[in-house]
Amino acid sequence: MLKSFLKKSRDLQRINDRLKIFLKKRQRGDQIESYLSSHAERKLHLGCGTNFLEGWFNTDQSRHDPELAYLDVTETFPLPDQSFDYILAEHIIEHISRLDAERMIAECFRILRPNGVLRIGTPDLERYLSLYRDPPSEIGQDCIRDIFDSWIFPGFHKARQYAPASGDYSPIFVVNDIFMNYEHRFLYDYALLRKMTLAAGFGACTRNEAGSSIHAPLNRVETHVDRVNTHLTVTIEAVKTPASR
């Protein structure tokens, strides 16, 4: 009887979740039309979470906020070709599969206008591995200690399954943490992000510091900008140059 009750509860929850998504998708059409008709310079924010940016079309898949538009980055974007000037994807690409990430980047390319810019920030695999591989620098030591004290030792999410005894700051736990925790699916370095954006058709890809951009709309719009996050984040800007296919 208990199993039957739990199954029915899960089924009802799935039905409720699907209904919410259906309603949000119906509402989304009006939100898109309203934004596109009222903004000459158009800026798309993917997976915004609680970082609501003024003047942007803020989207998210999981948060139920009437000010946000529902958008699943693993699906075709419900947006016209060449309709946006800037796209921000801060710490979202690591939460989907690599093949879905390729499709997301392709969709970003499709909806960007010529000279449009896609900005992606994500954990930097190369920097994380360096914490384990190389003698830690001063900033590396700060990163290790902060990750342990803020996430691993408190047992955040899956960390409770592998956290060492308090006081053990071995960097091997930090490397495992970034792979196993936070619902991460795939981690990147600059070389792979550059390869993926150029393969999608972008004409240029440059590495930037988290929180900083030469493009005013993309400058100081991110939340992962403290000293540790800035060091451990790889941020790129890919430009859809007029010569891009």
Side-chain angles (χ1 to χ4, degrees):
M1 182 178 290
L2 179 59
K3 287 184 178 179
S4 176
F5 173 76
L6 291 174
K7 183 180 184 301
K8 287 181 180 179
S9 296
R10 288 192 294 268
D11 290 343
L12 286 173
Q13 184 60 51
R14 281 193 289 268
I15 292 171
N16 185 54
D17 290 341
R18 289 172 182 170
L19 178 59
K20 286 181 179 179
I21 291 173
F22 172 76
L23 294 174
K24 288 180 75 67
K25 283 185 175 181
R26 286 193 62 181
Q27 177 189 15
R28 182 175 62 189
D30 292 336
Q31 292 173 309
I32 292 171
E33 183 179 353
S34 175
Y35 181 85
L36 294 181
S37 64
S38 59
H39 291 78
E41 182 180 78
R42 299 165 180 171
K43 299 168 287 189
L44 174 64
H45 192 182
L46 300 175
C48 70
T50 58
N51 183 23
F52 187 87
L53 297 174
E54 190 68 33
W56 288 68
F57 190 60
N58 295 284
T59 70
D60 203 285
Q61 178 187 357
S62 57
R63 293 192 67 243
H64 301 293
D65 188 318
E67 293 190 74
L68 304 181
Y70 176 89
L71 194 149
D72 182 346
V73 298
T74 68
E75 299 177 350
T76 301
F77 294 1
L79 299 165
D81 294 355
Q82 299 189 24
S83 54
F84 280 82
D85 300 285
Y86 299 97
I87 301 174
L88 174 65
E90 182 191 7
H91 284 255
I92 184 175
I93 196 172
E94 67 272 18
H95 294 281
I96 60 178
S97 72
R98 195 191 68 80
L99 293 180
D100 280 335
E102 283 187 349
R103 288 187 281 268
M104 182 193 86
I105 291 172
E107 279 297 283
C108 289
F109 180 84
R110 177 183 67 80
I111 69 168
L112 278 172
R113 292 167 168 169
N115 295 314
V117 183
L118 165 63
R119 182 177 176 92
I120 297 174
T122 187
D124 186 349
L125 179 57
E126 184 177 8
R127 289 276 176 88
Y128 272 91
L129 292 180
S130 74
L131 298 177
Y132 172 77
R133 183 182 61 237
D134 304 327
S137 60
E138 180 182 347
I139 179 61
Q141 294 177 38
D142 289 345
C143 290
I144 292 170
R145 185 165 292 273
D146 182 80
I147 291 167
F148 269 105
D149 292 343
S150 299
W151 308 104
I152 298 179
F153 287 148
F156 175 77
H157 197 32
K158 294 183 179 180
R160 63 178 65 93
Q161 300 173 10
Y162 53 81
S166 180
D168 181 355
Y169 288 89
S170 302
I172 190 171
F173 291 98
V174 173
V175 175
N176 276 281
D177 180 66
I178 198 61
F179 276 104
M180 297 175 64
N181 214 348
Y182 319 104
E183 299 181 352
H184 288 169
R185 299 286 302 278
F186 194 91
L187 299 182
Y188 298 83
D189 61 7
Y190 169 67
L192 182 55
L193 288 173
R194 182 176 186 276
K195 181 178 180 179
M196 290 170 67
T197 54
L198 295 181
F202 287 91
C205 177
T206 58
R207 180 165 188 160
N208 298 75
E209 185 174 278
S212 177
S213 175
I214 62 170
H215 305 282
L218 294 171
N219 194 41
R220 298 184 178 182
V221 292
E222 293 150 317
T223 58
H224 295 70
V225 291
D226 58 85
R227 186 166 179 260
V228 168
N229 266 308
T230 296
H231 181 70
L232 293 176
T233 293
V234 54
T235 304
I236 63 105
E237 288 184 349
V239 181
K240 184 176 180 178
T241 58
S244 300
R245 62 174 173 80

